[in-house]
Amino acid sequence: MKFSDKKSRRGFSKKSLIFSLLFLAGISSYSENFRVRKLIPIEFNEISEKITVESGINDALWVTLPKDLTYISGVEINLKIPEDIITWRDSVAYMLYEGLDPSPSEASQNYHGERLYVATIPGNFSLTLYVPVSNDFSIKDNPYSVKLPVQPAVPGVFLRFMMVMKGVPESLENSILEITAKPVLKNKGALSLTTNPPSSEEKQYSVFIDDSPVQDYKHKILTTGEHHLSIVSDSYRNELRTFRIEQAKTTSLSVNLRGIEPLLKLLCPKDTQVFLDGSPVKVSSDPVTITQGEHSVKFILGDYEIVKTVSAMNGRTYSVNLNVDATITEEN
């Protein structure tokens, strides 16, 4: 490009920028009728999808969100800007609408809608737009993106492109924007808790997550990261668990509820005879359920016999361990 061309374009850019600013100042949010050359649809069936399309000037983008917005806080729209639009910066505007009539369709070009936001495309090679669709939208501002200050009504995001600068080359109208869109996910996931009582008759208990009482624990939405679960009951033993929540995923947790009757663990060498309150007991890795009160445990191993007494209380687990050891000493 010659120096005179650059100087002329800089002078033209100043005038066109003034025109753009006047244009933007005169079109605050209101309802309007408008026409688009073509509507380009993007439909997300999964929350992890990323879809790339191409759009021309005077086209519109219709982003349809999944029906379940539990984990979606907004939409990220990245524009790859061609060189001619960069050269003629602020020549193209993008506009956000809601309440479209008729409903956005590739078969329709004429619409009536409420314009929520408008701005021009800057002289950068790319621009990322963040459009919130939930109050729970936590994307931070940065120099390379724009977080729109408005929230359109779902089920989708309607973004229109339009030439707003006079005197630009005719070739500019043939410019193509490469657009990549994807949902912005909340930093949340879900806990699906299943409790299994020891009998068919389920008794009352309370569930706490991070020390707060929880009613709907079958599908509880939580922030990502580590959490603590406690189950408290007068009829079952207290249960404590630690679990992690991952973004946009459901963590399943199953807890077996145990009765409050005392449990007795018996630990002894092989071939030891064990008697509980005078009755023989088969030793296994599983604890024996006993009643509250005093109990006697007798171990017989060869000629060795020992009796221990256990004072059992509800909600407690006791271990009785028979240790048979040999001691080696050195004599002078």
Side-chain angles (χ1 to χ4, degrees):
M1 182 184 296
K2 296 180 180 179
F3 176 78
S4 58
D5 292 337
K6 292 182 179 179
K7 185 175 180 181
S8 174
R9 184 161 297 182
R10 282 199 299 269
F12 184 86
S13 179
K14 290 181 180 179
K15 293 179 182 178
S16 61
L17 178 58
I18 293 173
F19 172 81
S20 296
L21 292 174
L22 291 173
F23 172 82
L24 296 176
I27 53 173
S28 57
S29 177
Y30 70 98
S31 295
E32 66 174 334
N33 295 309
F34 61 91
R35 178 180 176 85
V36 300
R37 186 180 69 91
K38 182 174 65 174
L39 184 134
I40 301 166
I42 290 180
E43 183 175 0
F44 295 117
N45 295 312
E46 301 291 338
I47 61 176
S48 59
E49 276 190 283
K50 179 188 290 187
I51 299 175
T52 299
V53 296
E54 291 185 344
S55 172
I57 309 304
N58 300 318
D59 290 344
L61 190 71
W62 173 237
V63 181
T64 305
L65 298 170
K67 293 181 179 179
D68 185 0
L69 298 178
T70 301
Y71 299 124
I72 296 178
S73 65
V75 179
E76 177 186 304
I77 301 174
N78 180 264
L79 310 179
K80 187 176 180 181
I81 303 169
E83 188 174 350
D84 48 1
I85 294 181
I86 296 174
T87 302
W88 296 92
R89 59 175 300 164
D90 300 310
S91 61
V92 178
Y94 57 92
M95 306 176 187
L96 180 70
Y97 290 84
E98 72 174 1
L100 279 302
D101 184 27
S103 296
S105 165
E106 292 181 82
S108 300
Q109 293 178 296
N110 298 302
Y111 294 95
H112 176 85
E114 179 79 15
R115 188 190 317 118
L116 301 178
Y117 182 82
V118 58
T120 56
I121 295 177
N124 300 328
F125 285 102
S126 67
L127 172 65
T128 299
L129 305 177
Y130 290 105
V131 185
V133 297
S134 164
N135 294 328
D136 188 9
F137 190 74
S138 58
I139 292 294
K140 296 181 179 179
D141 294 321
N142 67 73
Y144 308 102
S145 66
V146 175
K147 183 170 65 175
L148 273 59
V150 291
Q151 180 178 320
V154 291
V157 173
F158 190 98
L159 199 66
R160 173 193 177 198
F161 302 101
M162 177 181 174
M163 188 77 69
V164 294
M165 185 182 291
K166 293 182 178 179
V168 298
E170 292 183 5
S171 60
L172 193 62
E173 294 196 7
N174 297 322
S175 298
I176 299 297
L177 294 163
E178 183 179 300
I179 301 174
T180 301
K182 66 177 183 178
V184 177
L185 302 182
K186 300 176 183 178
N187 287 321
K188 292 187 176 181
L191 171 68
S192 177
L193 174 64
T194 303
T195 54
N196 307 304
S199 63
S200 58
E201 182 183 355
E202 187 173 81
K203 299 176 183 178
Q204 189 174 4
Y205 56 88
S206 298
V207 176
F208 295 82
I209 295 178
D210 300 330
D211 298 325
S212 297
V214 175
Q215 300 297 328
D216 182 19
Y217 52 81
K218 300 297 183 183
H219 189 79
K220 178 65 176 177
I221 302 298
L222 298 167
T223 56
T224 55
E226 187 175 274
H227 295 271
H228 303 281
L229 168 78
S230 57
I231 299 177
V232 179
S233 173
D234 291 332
S235 303
Y236 301 113
R237 290 171 178 257
N238 295 344
E239 301 289 347
L240 302 175
R241 300 289 188 277
T242 298
F243 62 94
R244 292 193 63 83
I245 292 294
E246 297 183 29
Q247 187 180 46
K249 294 183 179 180
T250 298
T251 298
S252 297
L253 183 62
S254 180
V255 177
N256 294 324
L257 300 178
R258 300 172 298 167
I260 60 173
E261 298 84 5
L263 297 178
L264 181 64
K265 293 181 178 179
L266 300 171
L267 304 172
C268 58
K270 186 179 179 181
D271 298 329
T272 301
Q273 300 180 63
V274 182
F275 297 84
L276 176 61
D277 297 329
S279 300
V281 177
K282 184 178 180 180
V283 177
S284 70
S285 58
D286 297 326
V288 178
T289 301
I290 58 178
T291 59
Q292 186 170 245
E294 289 197 350
H295 298 270
S296 66
V297 180
K298 182 168 66 173
F299 296 99
I300 299 176
L301 180 59
D303 295 332
Y304 183 77
E305 178 179 316
I306 187 171
V307 178
K308 292 291 182 179
T309 300
V310 179
S311 297
M313 297 179 61
N314 283 338
R316 303 288 181 86
T317 299
Y318 302 89
S319 294
V320 182
N321 187 5
L322 175 63
N323 291 315
V324 178
D325 197 5
T327 302
I328 300 176
T329 60
E330 182 178 348
E331 296 183 359
N332 294 328

